[in-house]
């Protein structure tokens, strides 16, 4: 009697990604063919389990497991561009908001027709999935309190994301000079300790440079740094000049 051996399936066989459905289908068909058949009337030996009906059932299960989209792709039928644009936008919006321009750029990169892209983007705006005003407001809130960015830097970032200038002005308008000054002082206070031991001018350049990279103007940076150095007893004579 010939003993049939079932080989163990590795862990990676359970994780098939895009483009692997066909290989998975062949594996499923192969496994069905090699599955031992038991019960009254089942023969034993090399021919067991290889009947024509079993082969048809295996192929039927393989075909039914494929997705509609993969079936259309196999037949060469083009996908609806509106459906494709909708799926792309939903994937991009999962977990993080995006501006209309960011989504439009993504659709253009994937060669979605302009008409289909416009239809989907307008629909997403109507239902609130795209809201550039809310995006800008949340961006300012997060980046100012989380990273200490000033209005100038926030405006620059929002422009690169395609937010309309009117919406940008409204969003950064929630920050005033008093709030910026308070945030700048907090930033300098956190950095001040690491500059101790350096000469005064080097401390000034390092602290003021840090504020400048975050979008603070030269005048405000100089005032904040000078005040912080004075509180440590540093001689700030001559620090009124631009750095």
């Amino acid at each position: 009697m010939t003993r049939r051996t079932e080989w163990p399936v590795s862990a990676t066989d359970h994780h098939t990604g895009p483009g692997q459905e066909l290989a998975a289908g062949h594996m499923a068909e192969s496994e069905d063919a090699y599955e031992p058949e038991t019960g009254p009337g089942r023969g034993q030996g090399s021919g067991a389990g290889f009947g024509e009906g079993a082969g048809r059932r295996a192929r039927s299960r393989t075909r039914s497991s494929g997705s509609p989209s993969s079936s259309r792709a196999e037949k060469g039928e083009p996908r609806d561009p509106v459906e494709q644009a909708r799926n792309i936008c939903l994937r991009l919006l999962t977990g993080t908001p995006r501006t209309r321009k960011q989504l439009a750029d993504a659709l253009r990169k994937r060669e979605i027709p302009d008409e289909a892209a416009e239809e989907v983007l307008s629909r997403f705006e109507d239902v609130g999935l795209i809201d550039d005003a809310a995006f800008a407001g949340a961006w300012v809130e997060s980046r100012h309190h989380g990273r200490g960015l000033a209005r100038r830097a926030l405006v620059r970032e929002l422009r690169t994301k395609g937010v309309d200038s009117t919406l940008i002005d409204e969003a950064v308008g929630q920050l005033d000079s008093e709030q910026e000054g308070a945030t700048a002082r907090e930033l300098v206070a956190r950095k001040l300790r690491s500059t101790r031991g350096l000469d005064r001018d080097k401390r000034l350049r390092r602290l003021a440079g840090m504020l400048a990279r975050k979008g603070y103007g030269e005048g405000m940076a100089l005032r904040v740094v000078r005040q912080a150095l004075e509180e440590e007893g540093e001689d700030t004579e001559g620090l009124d000049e631009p750095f």
Side-chain angles (χ1 to χ4, degrees), residues 35 40 94 109 130 142 147 163 198 203 211 231:
E35 182 178 359
T94 300
K109 183 177 180 181
I130 300 176
S142 172
R147 298 288 302 277
V163 179
L198 302 176
R203 298 184 78 188
L211 292 179
E231 291 175 354

Side-chain angles (χ1 to χ4, degrees), residues 128-149:
L129 291 176
I130 300 176
D131 190 339
D132 282 4
F135 177 94
W139 186 268
V140 168
E141 177 74 15
S142 172
R143 299 288 283 177
H144 178 74
H145 293 289
R147 298 288 302 277
L149 299 186

Side-chain angles (χ1 to χ4, degrees), residues 106-123:
L107 295 179
R108 191 176 301 109
K109 183 177 180 181
R110 289 163 174 79
E111 299 182 349
I112 300 297
D114 292 342
E115 184 177 351
E118 180 65 25
E119 177 181 341
V120 171
L121 294 174
S122 297
R123 176 57 179 166

Side-chain angles (χ1 to χ4, degrees), residues 15-35:
H15 300 282
T16 57
Q20 295 178 306
E21 294 178 0
L22 185 59
H26 288 312
M27 180 177 291
E29 182 174 348
S30 175
E31 289 174 349
D32 287 338
Y34 280 95
E35 182 178 359

Side-chain angles (χ1 to χ4, degrees), residues 58-75:
R59 288 192 293 273
S60 175
R61 283 193 293 270
T62 301
R63 286 195 297 269
S64 64
S65 65
S67 64
S69 59
S70 64
S71 177
R72 286 197 300 268
E74 291 173 358
K75 294 179 182 178

Side-chain angles (χ1 to χ4, degrees), residues 2-8 34 36:
T2 301
R3 175 175 298 179
R4 215 171 331 168
T5 302
E6 293 184 5
W7 297 98
Y34 280 95

